[in-house]
Amino acid sequence: MTQSYLEHVNITVADADQAAAVLVDVFDWHIRWSGPARDGGYTVHVGTADQYIAVYRPRDGQSRDFPKGAPLNHLAIVVDNLDAVEAKVVARGLTPFNHGTYDPGRRFYFFDENGIEFEVVSYH
C-alpha cells in the first residue's frame, strides 16, 4: 500500500498576509514562503514543515473567483488543545459555533474574515 498525505490546500482571500496572520496566531504555524503568484497575484504558504495552506490574493481589480473552481465546505484542523485554540479564535474577534462532542473527539467551527469555514477538532 502507498502511504499518502495532504500536502496543501489553496484558497483565495482578500488579503493574503492578514489571512496568514490568523493561521499563524490561532494554530501556531509559520510562514513557509510568500511571493508572486499566477496572473499577477500574491500567495503566502502558511503551515508546518510538511503541510500548509496556500492563501492566494489576486492582483488588484481581478476577480476573487479562482479560475479552477470555488466549492469548499470547510477546512478541518486537528489540534492538541481545543480550548486553547478556541480562546485564540475569540481573541481575534472571531466567533466559534457548532460545538460538538462525539466519538472520537470534540470540535467547533468558525469563519475567518474571508468567509472560509474552519473546523477545529481534538481527539484527546
Side-chain angles (χ1 to χ4, degrees), residues 70-101:
L72 173 70
N73 291 322
H74 64 256
L75 300 175
I77 311 294
V78 176
V79 300
D80 288 335
N81 188 329
L82 192 70
D83 297 326
V85 171
E86 183 171 6
K88 290 180 181 183
V89 168
V90 170
R92 292 210 56 105
L94 304 171
T95 305
F97 65 94
N98 198 19
H99 294 77
T101 301

PDB file of all heavy atoms in Angstrom, residues 70-101:
ATOM      1  N   ALA A  70     -14.556  26.992  -7.200  1.00  0.00           N
ATOM      2  CA  ALA A  70     -14.740  27.662  -5.923  1.00  0.00           C
ATOM      3  C   ALA A  70     -15.337  26.812  -4.813  1.00  0.00           C
ATOM      4  O   ALA A  70     -15.348  27.261  -3.691  1.00  0.00           O
ATOM      5  CB  ALA A  70     -15.623  28.888  -6.134  1.00  0.00           C
ATOM      6  N   PRO A  71     -15.866  25.614  -5.045  1.00  0.00           N
ATOM      7  CA  PRO A  71     -16.557  24.934  -3.951  1.00  0.00           C
ATOM      8  C   PRO A  71     -15.601  24.520  -2.827  1.00  0.00           C
ATOM      9  O   PRO A  71     -14.547  23.961  -3.068  1.00  0.00           O
ATOM     10  CB  PRO A  71     -17.192  23.713  -4.595  1.00  0.00           C
ATOM     11  CG  PRO A  71     -16.624  23.583  -5.944  1.00  0.00           C
ATOM     12  CD  PRO A  71     -15.890  24.840  -6.264  1.00  0.00           C
ATOM     13  N   LEU A  72     -16.009  24.819  -1.613  1.00  0.00           N
ATOM     14  CA  LEU A  72     -15.247  24.411  -0.432  1.00  0.00           C
ATOM     15  C   LEU A  72     -16.213  24.433   0.743  1.00  0.00           C
ATOM     16  O   LEU A  72     -16.841  25.456   0.999  1.00  0.00           O
ATOM     17  CB  LEU A  72     -14.085  25.374  -0.168  1.00  0.00           C
ATOM     18  CG  LEU A  72     -13.314  25.172   1.130  1.00  0.00           C
ATOM     19  CD1 LEU A  72     -12.496  23.878   1.087  1.00  0.00           C
ATOM     20  CD2 LEU A  72     -12.391  26.356   1.379  1.00  0.00           C
ATOM     21  N   ASN A  73     -16.352  23.315   1.434  1.00  0.00           N
ATOM     22  CA  ASN A  73     -17.241  23.275   2.591  1.00  0.00           C
ATOM     23  C   ASN A  73     -16.547  23.803   3.828  1.00  0.00           C
ATOM     24  O   ASN A  73     -17.042  24.706   4.476  1.00  0.00           O
ATOM     25  CB  ASN A  73     -17.775  21.861   2.827  1.00  0.00           C
ATOM     26  CG  ASN A  73     -18.729  21.434   1.741  1.00  0.00           C
ATOM     27  OD1 ASN A  73     -19.516  22.239   1.268  1.00  0.00           O
ATOM     28  ND2 ASN A  73     -18.633  20.199   1.321  1.00  0.00           N
ATOM     29  N   HIS A  74     -15.408  23.222   4.202  1.00  0.00           N
ATOM     30  CA  HIS A  74     -14.608  23.724   5.312  1.00  0.00           C
ATOM     31  C   HIS A  74     -13.246  23.042   5.291  1.00  0.00           C
ATOM     32  O   HIS A  74     -13.050  22.048   4.603  1.00  0.00           O
ATOM     33  CB  HIS A  74     -15.297  23.521   6.673  1.00  0.00           C
ATOM     34  CG  HIS A  74     -15.515  22.094   7.064  1.00  0.00           C
ATOM     35  ND1 HIS A  74     -16.737  21.491   6.989  1.00  0.00           N
ATOM     36  CD2 HIS A  74     -14.672  21.150   7.548  1.00  0.00           C
ATOM     37  CE1 HIS A  74     -16.641  20.232   7.384  1.00  0.00           C
ATOM     38  NE2 HIS A  74     -15.390  20.000   7.731  1.00  0.00           N
ATOM     39  N   LEU A  75     -12.321  23.612   6.050  1.00  0.00           N
ATOM     40  CA  LEU A  75     -11.013  23.006   6.269  1.00  0.00           C
ATOM     41  C   LEU A  75     -10.991  22.521   7.710  1.00  0.00           C
ATOM     42  O   LEU A  75     -11.324  23.282   8.622  1.00  0.00           O
ATOM     43  CB  LEU A  75      -9.894  24.033   6.066  1.00  0.00           C
ATOM     44  CG  LEU A  75      -9.801  24.670   4.693  1.00  0.00           C
ATOM     45  CD1 LEU A  75      -8.735  25.751   4.691  1.00  0.00           C
ATOM     46  CD2 LEU A  75      -9.480  23.619   3.654  1.00  0.00           C
ATOM     47  N   ALA A  76     -10.589  21.282   7.942  1.00  0.00           N
ATOM     48  CA  ALA A  76     -10.533  20.732   9.291  1.00  0.00           C
ATOM     49  C   ALA A  76      -9.083  20.672   9.753  1.00  0.00           C
ATOM     50  O   ALA A  76      -8.224  20.166   9.043  1.00  0.00           O
ATOM     51  CB  ALA A  76     -11.168  19.345   9.329  1.00  0.00           C
ATOM     52  N   ILE A  77      -8.843  21.200  10.941  1.00  0.00           N
ATOM     53  CA  ILE A  77      -7.515  21.240  11.532  1.00  0.00           C
ATOM     54  C   ILE A  77      -7.564  20.486  12.859  1.00  0.00           C
ATOM     55  O   ILE A  77      -8.391  20.795  13.713  1.00  0.00           O
ATOM     56  CB  ILE A  77      -7.052  22.695  11.791  1.00  0.00           C
ATOM     57  CG1 ILE A  77      -7.252  23.581  10.548  1.00  0.00           C
ATOM     58  CG2 ILE A  77      -5.623  22.723  12.312  1.00  0.00           C
ATOM     59  CD1 ILE A  77      -6.410  23.221   9.367  1.00  0.00           C
ATOM     60  N   VAL A  78      -6.677  19.506  13.038  1.00  0.00           N
ATOM     61  CA  VAL A  78      -6.580  18.763  14.294  1.00  0.00           C
ATOM     62  C   VAL A  78      -5.619  19.495  15.219  1.00  0.00           C
ATOM     63  O   VAL A  78      -4.522  19.887  14.796  1.00  0.00           O
ATOM     64  CB  VAL A  78      -6.086  17.322  14.059  1.00  0.00           C
ATOM     65  CG1 VAL A  78      -5.902  16.575  15.385  1.00  0.00           C
ATOM     66  CG2 VAL A  78      -7.049  16.560  13.161  1.00  0.00           C
ATOM     67  N   VAL A  79      -6.027  19.687  16.477  1.00  0.00           N
ATOM     68  CA  VAL A  79      -5.200  20.377  17.472  1.00  0.00           C
ATOM     69  C   VAL A  79      -5.124  19.539  18.744  1.00  0.00           C
ATOM     70  O   VAL A  79      -5.976  18.685  18.995  1.00  0.00           O
ATOM     71  CB  VAL A  79      -5.757  21.785  17.798  1.00  0.00           C
ATOM     72  CG1 VAL A  79      -5.796  22.655  16.544  1.00  0.00           C
ATOM     73  CG2 VAL A  79      -7.138  21.705  18.431  1.00  0.00           C
ATOM     74  N   ASP A  80      -4.101  19.802  19.547  1.00  0.00           N
ATOM     75  CA  ASP A  80      -3.936  19.099  20.819  1.00  0.00           C
ATOM     76  C   ASP A  80      -4.811  19.676  21.926  1.00  0.00           C
ATOM     77  O   ASP A  80      -5.271  18.946  22.792  1.00  0.00           O
ATOM     78  CB  ASP A  80      -2.475  19.152  21.281  1.00  0.00           C
ATOM     79  CG  ASP A  80      -1.577  18.274  20.436  1.00  0.00           C
ATOM     80  OD1 ASP A  80      -2.079  17.309  19.842  1.00  0.00           O
ATOM     81  OD2 ASP A  80      -0.378  18.562  20.365  1.00  0.00           O
ATOM     82  N   ASN A  81      -5.005  20.995  21.911  1.00  0.00           N
ATOM     83  CA  ASN A  81      -5.733  21.659  22.990  1.00  0.00           C
ATOM     84  C   ASN A  81      -6.857  22.506  22.398  1.00  0.00           C
ATOM     85  O   ASN A  81      -6.651  23.677  22.045  1.00  0.00           O
ATOM     86  CB  ASN A  81      -4.775  22.514  23.820  1.00  0.00           C
ATOM     87  CG  ASN A  81      -5.436  23.074  25.056  1.00  0.00           C
ATOM     88  OD1 ASN A  81      -6.631  23.353  25.078  1.00  0.00           O
ATOM     89  ND2 ASN A  81      -4.641  23.279  26.100  1.00  0.00           N
ATOM     90  N   LEU A  82      -8.021  21.925  22.302  1.00  0.00           N
ATOM     91  CA  LEU A  82      -9.164  22.588  21.673  1.00  0.00           C
ATOM     92  C   LEU A  82      -9.543  23.878  22.392  1.00  0.00           C
ATOM     93  O   LEU A  82      -9.813  24.895  21.745  1.00  0.00           O
ATOM     94  CB  LEU A  82     -10.356  21.629  21.646  1.00  0.00           C
ATOM     95  CG  LEU A  82     -11.534  22.043  20.778  1.00  0.00           C
ATOM     96  CD1 LEU A  82     -11.163  21.952  19.299  1.00  0.00           C
ATOM     97  CD2 LEU A  82     -12.741  21.175  21.066  1.00  0.00           C
ATOM     98  N   ASP A  83      -9.527  23.861  23.715  1.00  0.00           N
ATOM     99  CA  ASP A  83      -9.925  25.040  24.480  1.00  0.00           C
ATOM    100  C   ASP A  83      -8.959  26.203  24.265  1.00  0.00           C
ATOM    101  O   ASP A  83      -9.383  27.357  24.145  1.00  0.00           O
ATOM    102  CB  ASP A  83     -10.035  24.702  25.964  1.00  0.00           C
ATOM    103  CG  ASP A  83     -11.122  23.660  26.230  1.00  0.00           C
ATOM    104  OD1 ASP A  83     -12.148  23.670  25.527  1.00  0.00           O
ATOM    105  OD2 ASP A  83     -10.925  22.823  27.138  1.00  0.00           O
ATOM    106  N   ALA A  84      -7.666  25.918  24.204  1.00  0.00           N
ATOM    107  CA  ALA A  84      -6.676  26.975  23.984  1.00  0.00           C
ATOM    108  C   ALA A  84      -6.831  27.591  22.597  1.00  0.00           C
ATOM    109  O   ALA A  84      -6.740  28.811  22.429  1.00  0.00           O
ATOM    110  CB  ALA A  84      -5.265  26.429  24.164  1.00  0.00           C
ATOM    111  N   VAL A  85      -7.094  26.760  21.603  1.00  0.00           N
ATOM    112  CA  VAL A  85      -7.283  27.280  20.241  1.00  0.00           C
ATOM    113  C   VAL A  85      -8.569  28.091  20.156  1.00  0.00           C
ATOM    114  O   VAL A  85      -8.604  29.160  19.539  1.00  0.00           O
ATOM    115  CB  VAL A  85      -7.261  26.134  19.205  1.00  0.00           C
ATOM    116  CG1 VAL A  85      -7.668  26.629  17.832  1.00  0.00           C
ATOM    117  CG2 VAL A  85      -5.868  25.503  19.159  1.00  0.00           C
ATOM    118  N   GLU A  86      -9.618  27.637  20.817  1.00  0.00           N
ATOM    119  CA  GLU A  86     -10.862  28.413  20.811  1.00  0.00           C
ATOM    120  C   GLU A  86     -10.649  29.786  21.448  1.00  0.00           C
ATOM    121  O   GLU A  86     -11.176  30.788  20.958  1.00  0.00           O
ATOM    122  CB  GLU A  86     -11.978  27.669  21.533  1.00  0.00           C
ATOM    123  CG  GLU A  86     -13.295  28.418  21.463  1.00  0.00           C
ATOM    124  CD  GLU A  86     -14.476  27.620  21.964  1.00  0.00           C
ATOM    125  OE1 GLU A  86     -14.298  26.512  22.480  1.00  0.00           O
ATOM    126  OE2 GLU A  86     -15.608  28.130  21.820  1.00  0.00           O
ATOM    127  N   ALA A  87      -9.859  29.848  22.504  1.00  0.00           N
ATOM    128  CA  ALA A  87      -9.563  31.139  23.137  1.00  0.00           C
ATOM    129  C   ALA A  87      -8.842  32.063  22.159  1.00  0.00           C
ATOM    130  O   ALA A  87      -9.099  33.273  22.129  1.00  0.00           O
ATOM    131  CB  ALA A  87      -8.727  30.933  24.398  1.00  0.00           C
ATOM    132  N   LYS A  88      -7.956  31.526  21.339  1.00  0.00           N
ATOM    133  CA  LYS A  88      -7.258  32.344  20.338  1.00  0.00           C
ATOM    134  C   LYS A  88      -8.218  32.842  19.266  1.00  0.00           C
ATOM    135  O   LYS A  88      -8.104  33.973  18.793  1.00  0.00           O
ATOM    136  CB  LYS A  88      -6.127  31.548  19.697  1.00  0.00           C
ATOM    137  CG  LYS A  88      -4.973  31.272  20.623  1.00  0.00           C
ATOM    138  CD  LYS A  88      -3.915  30.472  19.896  1.00  0.00           C
ATOM    139  CE  LYS A  88      -2.746  30.146  20.789  1.00  0.00           C
ATOM    140  NZ  LYS A  88      -1.693  29.431  20.065  1.00  0.00           N
ATOM    141  N   VAL A  89      -9.145  31.994  18.863  1.00  0.00           N
ATOM    142  CA  VAL A  89     -10.153  32.388  17.873  1.00  0.00           C
ATOM    143  C   VAL A  89     -10.964  33.561  18.416  1.00  0.00           C
ATOM    144  O   VAL A  89     -11.159  34.578  17.733  1.00  0.00           O
ATOM    145  CB  VAL A  89     -11.059  31.183  17.515  1.00  0.00           C
ATOM    146  CG1 VAL A  89     -12.283  31.623  16.726  1.00  0.00           C
ATOM    147  CG2 VAL A  89     -10.259  30.127  16.749  1.00  0.00           C
ATOM    148  N   VAL A  90     -11.420  33.442  19.649  1.00  0.00           N
ATOM    149  CA  VAL A  90     -12.213  34.509  20.283  1.00  0.00           C
ATOM    150  C   VAL A  90     -11.379  35.780  20.419  1.00  0.00           C
ATOM    151  O   VAL A  90     -11.866  36.889  20.158  1.00  0.00           O
ATOM    152  CB  VAL A  90     -12.757  34.029  21.652  1.00  0.00           C
ATOM    153  CG1 VAL A  90     -13.369  35.184  22.431  1.00  0.00           C
ATOM    154  CG2 VAL A  90     -13.771  32.909  21.453  1.00  0.00           C
ATOM    155  N   ALA A  91     -10.108  35.642  20.809  1.00  0.00           N
ATOM    156  CA  ALA A  91      -9.231  36.808  20.983  1.00  0.00           C
ATOM    157  C   ALA A  91      -9.046  37.571  19.673  1.00  0.00           C
ATOM    158  O   ALA A  91      -8.808  38.776  19.688  1.00  0.00           O
ATOM    159  CB  ALA A  91      -7.882  36.370  21.549  1.00  0.00           C
ATOM    160  N   ARG A  92      -9.177  36.898  18.548  1.00  0.00           N
ATOM    161  CA  ARG A  92      -9.065  37.554  17.237  1.00  0.00           C
ATOM    162  C   ARG A  92     -10.383  38.184  16.816  1.00  0.00           C
ATOM    163  O   ARG A  92     -10.497  38.734  15.722  1.00  0.00           O
ATOM    164  CB  ARG A  92      -8.600  36.566  16.185  1.00  0.00           C
ATOM    165  CG  ARG A  92      -7.161  36.127  16.429  1.00  0.00           C
ATOM    166  CD  ARG A  92      -6.437  35.777  15.183  1.00  0.00           C
ATOM    167  NE  ARG A  92      -6.413  36.811  14.187  1.00  0.00           N
ATOM    168  CZ  ARG A  92      -5.365  37.566  13.895  1.00  0.00           C
ATOM    169  NH1 ARG A  92      -4.251  37.439  14.571  1.00  0.00           N
ATOM    170  NH2 ARG A  92      -5.418  38.447  12.923  1.00  0.00           N
ATOM    171  N   GLY A  93     -11.409  38.085  17.660  1.00  0.00           N
ATOM    172  CA  GLY A  93     -12.698  38.672  17.336  1.00  0.00           C
ATOM    173  C   GLY A  93     -13.555  37.786  16.452  1.00  0.00           C
ATOM    174  O   GLY A  93     -14.554  38.250  15.892  1.00  0.00           O
ATOM    175  N   LEU A  94     -13.211  36.522  16.328  1.00  0.00           N
ATOM    176  CA  LEU A  94     -13.970  35.577  15.524  1.00  0.00           C
ATOM    177  C   LEU A  94     -14.907  34.790  16.442  1.00  0.00           C
ATOM    178  O   LEU A  94     -14.675  34.708  17.649  1.00  0.00           O
ATOM    179  CB  LEU A  94     -13.024  34.640  14.774  1.00  0.00           C
ATOM    180  CG  LEU A  94     -11.995  35.374  13.893  1.00  0.00           C
ATOM    181  CD1 LEU A  94     -10.950  34.401  13.359  1.00  0.00           C
ATOM    182  CD2 LEU A  94     -12.681  36.111  12.753  1.00  0.00           C
ATOM    183  N   THR A  95     -15.949  34.212  15.880  1.00  0.00           N
ATOM    184  CA  THR A  95     -16.997  33.590  16.686  1.00  0.00           C
ATOM    185  C   THR A  95     -17.045  32.078  16.481  1.00  0.00           C
ATOM    186  O   THR A  95     -17.456  31.613  15.415  1.00  0.00           O
ATOM    187  CB  THR A  95     -18.369  34.185  16.312  1.00  0.00           C
ATOM    188  OG1 THR A  95     -18.312  35.603  16.458  1.00  0.00           O
ATOM    189  CG2 THR A  95     -19.464  33.614  17.186  1.00  0.00           C
ATOM    190  N   PRO A  96     -16.663  31.309  17.497  1.00  0.00           N
ATOM    191  CA  PRO A  96     -16.811  29.849  17.423  1.00  0.00           C
ATOM    192  C   PRO A  96     -18.293  29.466  17.464  1.00  0.00           C
ATOM    193  O   PRO A  96     -19.096  30.135  18.108  1.00  0.00           O
ATOM    194  CB  PRO A  96     -16.104  29.341  18.682  1.00  0.00           C
ATOM    195  CG  PRO A  96     -15.295  30.483  19.184  1.00  0.00           C
ATOM    196  CD  PRO A  96     -15.990  31.730  18.724  1.00  0.00           C
ATOM    197  N   PHE A  97     -18.650  28.385  16.776  1.00  0.00           N
ATOM    198  CA  PHE A  97     -20.033  27.912  16.794  1.00  0.00           C
ATOM    199  C   PHE A  97     -20.065  26.396  16.577  1.00  0.00           C
ATOM    200  O   PHE A  97     -19.035  25.785  16.294  1.00  0.00           O
ATOM    201  CB  PHE A  97     -20.886  28.641  15.734  1.00  0.00           C
ATOM    202  CG  PHE A  97     -20.476  28.360  14.315  1.00  0.00           C
ATOM    203  CD1 PHE A  97     -21.082  27.347  13.584  1.00  0.00           C
ATOM    204  CD2 PHE A  97     -19.481  29.112  13.711  1.00  0.00           C
ATOM    205  CE1 PHE A  97     -20.703  27.085  12.276  1.00  0.00           C
ATOM    206  CE2 PHE A  97     -19.094  28.859  12.395  1.00  0.00           C
ATOM    207  CZ  PHE A  97     -19.714  27.840  11.682  1.00  0.00           C
ATOM    208  N   ASN A  98     -21.243  25.833  16.691  1.00  0.00           N
ATOM    209  CA  ASN A  98     -21.495  24.420  16.425  1.00  0.00           C
ATOM    210  C   ASN A  98     -20.527  23.502  17.168  1.00  0.00           C
ATOM    211  O   ASN A  98     -19.904  22.624  16.585  1.00  0.00           O
ATOM    212  CB  ASN A  98     -21.460  24.137  14.919  1.00  0.00           C
ATOM    213  CG  ASN A  98     -22.127  22.823  14.572  1.00  0.00           C
ATOM    214  OD1 ASN A  98     -22.908  22.291  15.351  1.00  0.00           O
ATOM    215  ND2 ASN A  98     -21.817  22.294  13.407  1.00  0.00           N
ATOM    216  N   HIS A  99     -20.404  23.712  18.454  1.00  0.00           N
ATOM    217  CA  HIS A  99     -19.569  22.845  19.284  1.00  0.00           C
ATOM    218  C   HIS A  99     -20.170  21.453  19.320  1.00  0.00           C
ATOM    219  O   HIS A  99     -21.392  21.310  19.417  1.00  0.00           O
ATOM    220  CB  HIS A  99     -19.470  23.404  20.701  1.00  0.00           C
ATOM    221  CG  HIS A  99     -18.754  24.709  20.764  1.00  0.00           C
ATOM    222  ND1 HIS A  99     -19.341  25.897  20.386  1.00  0.00           N
ATOM    223  CD2 HIS A  99     -17.492  25.004  21.144  1.00  0.00           C
ATOM    224  CE1 HIS A  99     -18.467  26.877  20.543  1.00  0.00           C
ATOM    225  NE2 HIS A  99     -17.340  26.362  21.009  1.00  0.00           N
ATOM    226  N   GLY A 100     -19.333  20.443  19.249  1.00  0.00           N
ATOM    227  CA  GLY A 100     -19.831  19.078  19.281  1.00  0.00           C
ATOM    228  C   GLY A 100     -18.872  18.142  19.996  1.00  0.00           C
ATOM    229  O   GLY A 100     -17.655  18.299  19.894  1.00  0.00           O
ATOM    230  N   THR A 101     -19.436  17.202  20.702  1.00  0.00           N
ATOM    231  CA  THR A 101     -18.658  16.148  21.332  1.00  0.00           C
ATOM    232  C   THR A 101     -19.266  14.822  20.916  1.00  0.00           C
ATOM    233  O   THR A 101     -20.441  14.562  21.188  1.00  0.00           O
ATOM    234  CB  THR A 101     -18.697  16.267  22.872  1.00  0.00           C
ATOM    235  OG1 THR A 101     -18.169  17.536  23.252  1.00  0.00           O
ATOM    236  CG2 THR A 101     -17.863  15.166  23.519  1.00  0.00           C
TER     237      THR A 101
END
